[in-house]
Amino acid sequence: MKAILVQTTCSSKEEAKIIAKILIEEKLAACVQMSEINSFYMWEKEFCNDEEILLSIKTKKENFKKIKSKIKELHSYDVPEIISLDINDTSKDYRKFIDKNC
């Protein structure tokens, strides 16, 4: 089992909680963490500085396509951030936790 971390940002805590809850309930993620962040970026030729909620989603690599689809379905952004990062090192017990809960 290959573990990955998927990241997405949300416009509100409410949206983030909905996405996190559904990913956990549908066994697409073992754990989702929420963090308040400030994002700086260009959108349609304008500089933006927004408060967002970052979701860090721990899951199996095989779930990425379903997670990406679910985020697009539930998300309010036209172009949501959906990034997958390989988890190269983790404890055996945490890897088992991910495998058991996805």
Side-chain angles (χ1 to χ4, degrees):
M1 188 269 320
K2 180 66 178 162
I4 62 169
L5 173 71
V6 179
Q7 288 189 326
T8 191
T9 52
C10 299
S11 63
S12 68
K13 283 185 181 179
E14 293 74 26
E15 180 178 63
K17 286 178 182 180
I18 289 168
I19 291 170
K21 185 175 188 288
I22 289 172
L23 293 177
I24 297 293
E25 287 177 345
E26 293 187 9
K27 296 248 181 226
L28 294 174
C31 175
V32 181
Q33 296 169 314
M34 291 177 32
S35 305
E36 293 182 17
I37 62 169
N38 289 313
S39 294
F40 303 89
Y41 57 96
M42 296 295 290
W43 183 253
E44 297 181 356
K45 299 182 182 179
E46 287 191 33
F47 177 80
C48 299
N49 174 9
D50 293 322
E51 293 182 2
E52 294 183 296
I53 305 299
L54 174 67
L55 291 182
S56 298
I57 303 158
K58 273 72 86 186
T59 188
K60 298 177 186 180
K61 189 169 191 143
E62 65 197 57
N63 289 343
F64 180 69
K65 287 183 182 179
K66 289 179 182 176
I67 289 172
K68 183 169 58 170
S69 176
K70 189 59 68 173
I71 290 171
K72 287 180 178 180
E73 173 189 326
L74 299 169
H75 215 287
S76 63
Y77 292 168
D78 292 335
V79 183
E81 169 190 0
I82 306 171
I83 296 172
S84 167
L85 304 166
D86 288 337
I87 298 174
N88 294 319
D89 293 308
T90 187
S91 69
K92 183 178 177 182
D93 291 336
Y94 195 73
R95 197 169 44 251
K96 283 182 184 178
F97 166 78
I98 292 172
D99 195 35
K100 178 182 174 186
N101 289 285
C102 288

